[in-house]
Amino acid sequence: MELPFAESYKIKVVETLKKSTRQEREKWIEEARYNLFNLKSDQVFIDLLTDSGTGAMSDEQWAGLMRGDESYAGASSYYKLKAAIRDILGFGYFLPTHQGRAAENVLFSVMVKEGHVVPGNAHFDTTKGHIEFRKAKAIDCTIDEAYEIENEHPFKGNLDLEKLEDVLKKYGPEKVPMIIVTVTCNTSGGQPVSLKNMRGVRQLADKYGVKVIYDSARFAENAYFIKLREEGYANKSIREIVAEMFSYADAMTMSSKKDAIVNMGGFIGMKDEELFKQASTFNIMFEGFITYGGMSGRDMNALAQGLYEGTEFDYLETRVNQVKYLGSKLEEYGIRYQRPVGGHAIFVDALQVLPHVPREQFPAQTLGIELYLEAGVRGVEIGTLLADRDPETRENRYPELELLRLTIPRRVYTNNHMDVVAAALRNVYEKNNEIHKGYKIISEAPIMRHFTVELEKA
Ligand code: F0G
């Protein structure tokens, strides 16, 4: 008999989860103005809001915390992290930051100026925010297949090299400071970019004389998919694949809260000394001195260890298998989601699950609320609320896909929890004939409205 799959770790410390009744949840979500971000964590049973900073650290990482060197300058923890970044990612220069968006802020302060154009594959919200804040423009060059929900393309994070070359041709290196490649691409569903595509981007960048930056939050999950799906890589180790990926980048920004399995932290990796020198000034201004930049020594130790653990095949297999497990359950129940299964989350098609809720009443948010009411499960809306209003017309922007992201924290939940999530979603799906109304906005912020929006029943 073939042995079944099991996790590559065991549990040493546990945290109690609180269950609640539907009646309690009805009261809490109303008090939260139907905004899932406003719930208190103890009002949530299974929290799939994000995989960012929510992972469980290992015994070795916790041990690293005790050995942290908190010296203001030249801490051993800094040198430990520097060595790990050089060893695994191949960047000789690095700057620590408090999280991923801080790395973007520092690097873009050097590289992005008013009137610039930054092509990439569906930039993450904060990345786009830091570009637009500098009066530059982010251009999405993702392949069209990425937005076809049932298309099984193995690398839906890929850039369309023709679209990219059009942008480079039109604006030239004077206007394009960098191409951003997000690995995996969160916005299109945790979908990977192939090495072939990364080589293609590098060639175009060299042809037009622009730099290539990787937004690397989930780089290890990307490498795992390359090993599984790309021809010629089945026998390469994750670390070999990671090394090749980053050989095509000039610099990287990292949110360490994802694939490095720490609760807080980030960094910038660079190959060019001059860029490092320029970025150092901004790092000192915004984050902290160059040998700690927004991180304590203990956190740098945990991060260095996390980079090694996060790039182990057995860990990644366990991780991605859990996401796949949830996907297979939903498939069994006939619930549609972004295919193939991505690295960190399942993106559920809210328009299929709740077909009677009008677009202007936020079907994905409505689904998020229904799922919470059903079982205390918290997902996050990736739909019309997140897409916000057009800055000029102030009309709602309706994105192509209306999704509920069920984001799975690393090493935290068991597959029994996934069973509860899938069963709850099935129950909502089965009574969708009774759900015709969504929500309307009572108040909203001028930008990034989804975090603080207040809603009432439509
Ligand atoms: N880049 C990507 C691809 C991300 O997914 C995130 C964060 C960031 C950059 C910013 O990093 O949060 O450390 O400042 N994504 C989280 C999420 C918030 O829920 O997907 P940060």
Side-chain angles (χ1 to χ4, degrees), residues 253-271:
T253 54
M254 178 71 183
S255 167
S256 310
K257 302 166 73 171
K258 284 85 168 176
D259 275 1
I261 332 176
V262 290
N263 304 119
M264 190 49 79
F267 59 88
I268 309 166
M270 290 151 284
K271 289 181 184 163

Side-chain angles (χ1 to χ4, degrees), residues 49-52 98-104 122-127 182-187 215-218 253-258 264-266 344 380 405 407 451:
L49 185 71
T50 181
D51 64 326
S52 183
H98 77 276
Q99 60 183 80
R101 66 200 70 183
E104 292 162 2
H123 314 61
F124 182 67
D125 323 358
T126 59
T127 320
T182 305
V183 289
T184 60
C185 186
N186 186 3
T187 312
D215 176 351
S216 317
R218 301 179 183 87
T253 54
M254 178 71 183
S255 167
S256 310
K257 302 166 73 171
K258 284 85 168 176
M264 190 49 79
H344 68 301
V380 68
R405 187 181 77 171
T407 338
F451 287 115

